[in-house]
Amino acid sequence: MINTRLIYISFFLLFFISIDSYSQRQDFVWFTGRSLSGDGSINFFKFNDSSYIKEFVVLNNPHKVRDGSGKSTMADEEGNLLFYTDGFDVYNRNHRIMQNGDRVHAISGELMANAYQNSGGVNIPDWTITVPSPAGGDLYYLFYAGIGDDEVYFHHLRGFGLNYSKIDMSLNGGLGEVVEKNVNLIETKSNYHGLRAIRHANGRDWWIPIREFLENKWYVFLLDDKGIHLSHESEVLEIGEHICWYVMYNEPKNQYICMTGEHFYPWQYFHDRPFEYQFHVYDFDRCAGSFEYNHTFELETWSHKYSLKTLTFCPNGRYLYGGLGGRYLIQYDTRAEDVQATADTLLNIFTMDNAIPGIYEPKITPRGEMWLQHWASDKITVIKNPELSGEDVIISDDFIVTPWVNAGTFPNNANYRIGPIDGSPCDTLGIDNLPRAWFHYNGANIGELERRFTDASYFRPEYWHWDFGDGTTFE
């Protein structure tokens, strides 16, 4: 509802602008990895205003949290852990399976027959996500894709619709209980990864879209104060049917990106031909929950051996980061006319001292940095300012070294620092999420008295006024 976008920053606050005045830290807890000693353990990163804390928790029970890729976490608005899932069970803050929280999933078929007993879980990125109920109170929803054997492409998996469980954190002495479990919302062939919960433009509700497999159709669910329900189907006119093998969401631009491959066949690989990809870009309307086809761009890699494994966008939505075969990290400028021509190798394990094998999953932290996991390694690479390009991109020479081996992916969490679209037709709830200033800085590769600031501010600030306290200002 509010249109003012003016933020004043005094010099003594310049080095870090706290977000205590209006916390949105529900995604400030991550967990990943497995213990090097082989014991049952959980490994957490707890973010705060200026840094993070590593916490290594050894379980005193027979349950081992799986280290695959079905992770999602939920903290309160101050960043205190409430519960989390590994894609199979739901655990409370004491790291015990929550009451009625066992076997919270929709996985079936021969390929996944032993997945529940497997300590590695399932290596499928972003197939679970958790959000608070718009009705308020202590209610939360955990959404997850149905996953089973593909009936056409043997030895491959296929998504089968969308499911949810409902969690009430007011029960069991504040440790929570799963009060609705494994409820199927729709059973249809669909993509099984890239699940997202997107803030409605009213600033309160959530859209949860899933794409039907081999169809230009999205089933768009709405979570509002009445619960979860199918809002509508959004059909998209584009260049024809294609297999959407990888789905990304570009949050700053409200766009979905579907990655396909002309040579991306599940039954054979062409080792003597380039790997060609197409990226189909769709605009998503946060007010109406509808999709519209925008454009397509193409990328090419050298062979299947160097195929694009994982992809993510920088905080401003311009630069696309992709890991090639675990050996390279490449940055692309998606705003260029020829995206392929902008390919810039940021990490190369064969020529760079700060690059190690297993380049796997880059992901944006709540503080706006990009962390890059290395598969089967105890090291995490930090990219301090992924919103920049070329020589301005600072990749830390110091790894984050963990007491565990990285496996699987970082948690898939919603972005809570997106507010209403002021003045839009659906800005009807009177929610005023005032812009919040939040910066961090580093002095890498610049002058001794210089500092480079990264803007992690949220709720759409559009104008800045810097007051340095000595009579000088900057706008």
Side-chain angles (χ1 to χ4, degrees):
M1 293 290 292
I2 195 160
N3 294 316
T4 302
R5 297 297 186 207
L6 178 63
I7 298 181
Y8 288 87
I9 302 177
S10 298
F11 180 74
F12 63 88
L13 289 177
L14 186 59
F15 289 101
F16 196 84
I17 308 301
S18 174
I19 60 174
D20 285 340
S21 58
Y22 195 90
S23 298
Q24 294 288 321
R25 307 184 186 187
Q26 293 94 327
D27 58 342
F28 268 45
V29 180
W30 288 10
F31 76 98
T32 186
R34 64 184 174 210
S35 170
L36 289 169
S37 60
D39 54 15
S41 59
I42 323 163
N43 315 287
F44 287 93
F45 291 102
K46 296 185 177 181
F47 295 96
N48 52 48
D49 287 351
S50 58
S51 186
Y52 63 89
I53 298 171
K54 289 187 292 186
E55 182 178 352
F56 185 74
V57 179
V58 177
L59 298 181
N60 294 315
N61 60 64
H63 302 292
K64 292 187 177 181
V65 178
R66 298 159 188 84
D67 57 1
S69 302
K71 306 181 186 78
S72 186
T73 60
M74 178 57 63
D76 62 22
E77 289 189 351
E78 299 302 321
N80 302 306
L81 178 66
L82 294 176
F83 63 89
Y84 57 96
T85 180
D86 60 1
F88 293 87
D89 298 320
V90 179
Y91 296 82
N92 61 34
R93 65 175 181 268
N94 290 339
H95 314 296
R96 302 292 190 271
I97 293 180
M98 185 179 289
Q99 189 167 330
N100 198 31
D102 62 310
R103 297 183 180 272
V104 180
H105 63 84
I107 291 177
S108 60
E110 292 184 14
L111 292 177
M112 306 292 283
N114 298 318
Y116 188 80
Q117 286 76 30
N118 183 5
S119 63
V122 178
N123 188 24
I124 298 172
D126 299 348
W127 57 278
T128 70
I129 196 164
T130 310
V131 291
S133 170
D138 296 305
L139 298 177
Y140 297 85
Y141 284 79
L142 169 60
F143 295 98
Y144 39 99
I147 303 175
D149 297 342
D150 195 301
E151 299 172 354
V152 178
Y153 306 120
F154 298 109
H155 306 297
H156 283 74
L157 298 174
R158 177 55 45 217
F160 292 96
L162 183 66
N163 307 267
Y164 80 91
S165 290
K166 189 175 180 180
I167 298 167
D168 189 341
M169 290 302 299
S170 70
L171 302 178
N172 196 24
L175 294 176
E177 178 181 343
V178 178
V179 293
E180 296 180 27
K181 184 173 178 178
N182 297 336
V183 181
N184 178 254
L185 289 168
I186 188 170
E187 190 168 344
T188 184
K189 288 187 177 181
S190 59
N191 290 99
Y192 55 78
H193 48 58
L195 186 62
R196 293 290 182 267
I198 306 166
R199 180 82 77 178
H200 192 290
N202 65 15
R204 182 195 66 183
D205 302 335
W206 297 91
W207 298 110
I208 297 93
I210 61 168
R211 180 178 172 128
E212 187 170 356
F213 183 60
L214 285 180
E215 298 290 339
N216 300 325
K217 179 192 298 184
W218 301 77
Y219 296 98
V220 183
F221 290 85
L222 177 64
L223 177 62
D224 56 22
D225 58 346
K226 299 179 180 61
I228 182 69
H229 58 90
L230 178 63
S231 172
H232 58 277
E233 299 175 10
S234 182
E235 297 199 37
V236 183
L237 297 177
E238 50 158 301
I239 62 175
E241 293 183 357
H242 53 258
I243 299 176
C244 186
W245 292 108
Y246 196 91
V247 179
M248 297 172 290
Y249 181 56
N250 187 348
E251 222 142 16
K253 295 180 69 63
N254 292 323
Q255 290 180 334
Y256 265 86
I257 292 89
C258 169
M259 185 182 80
T260 69
E262 186 177 325
H263 299 159
F264 198 64
Y265 302 121
W267 56 88
Q268 66 183 36
Y269 296 105
F270 295 92
H271 293 278
D272 59 339
R273 295 166 60 183
F275 234 42
E276 298 175 1
Y277 299 92
Q278 289 185 332
F279 292 80
H280 307 274
V281 182
Y282 308 85
D283 294 326
F284 182 73
D285 186 330
R286 285 204 293 130
C287 191
S290 59
F291 289 86
E292 182 177 351
Y293 174 69
N294 187 304
H295 70 283
T296 293
F297 66 89
E298 297 182 350
L299 296 178
E300 180 179 288
T301 62
W302 309 304
S303 69
H304 162 63
K305 184 178 179 180
Y306 297 102
S307 58
L308 284 167
K309 295 294 186 181
T310 52
L311 296 158
T312 195
F313 279 94
C314 71
N316 64 18
R318 176 171 182 172
Y319 297 106
L320 177 67
Y321 288 77
L324 294 187
R327 300 166 176 85
Y328 304 88
L329 180 68
I330 310 295
Q331 184 196 65
Y332 303 93
D333 185 351
T334 62
R335 297 181 188 175
E337 184 175 348
D338 184 353
V339 178
Q340 176 69 45
T342 69
D344 185 11
T345 301
L346 301 181
L347 290 175
N348 180 340
I349 67 169
F350 303 109
T351 62
M352 298 179 181
D353 293 335
N354 64 342
I356 59 175
I359 293 173
Y360 186 58
E361 185 205 19
K363 202 154 197 172
I364 301 299
T365 73
R367 300 181 61 243
E369 298 173 334
M370 180 178 288
W371 285 11
L372 175 65
Q373 286 207 96
H374 298 269
W375 188 267
S377 168
D378 62 351
K379 295 179 176 61
I380 296 173
T381 296
V382 177
I383 302 174
K384 294 182 177 295
N385 47 355
E387 73 282 358
L388 301 180
S389 64
E391 295 181 355
D392 291 329
V393 178
I394 304 301
I395 301 177
S396 176
D397 291 328
D398 298 322
F399 297 100
I400 297 174
V401 180
T402 64
W404 57 85
V405 171
N406 298 307
T409 59
F410 292 120
N412 183 35
N413 295 328
N415 186 345
Y416 299 93
R417 291 168 292 281
I418 294 180
I421 299 179
D422 299 329
S424 69
C426 52
D427 182 20
T428 59
L429 301 180
I431 296 176
D432 290 338
N433 285 334
L434 299 176
R436 301 292 163 176
W438 189 19
F439 288 79
H440 57 87
Y441 71 93
N442 70 80
N445 297 346
I446 54 179
E448 181 180 357
L449 299 179
E450 295 179 317
R451 293 296 180 267
R452 179 182 287 107
F453 288 86
T454 296
D455 183 1
S457 304
Y458 56 97
F459 293 151
R460 300 174 61 226
E462 296 174 359
Y463 177 75
W464 297 101
H465 180 90
W466 297 76
D467 185 349
F468 296 97
D470 60 356
T472 60
T473 60
F474 178 78
E475 296 181 0

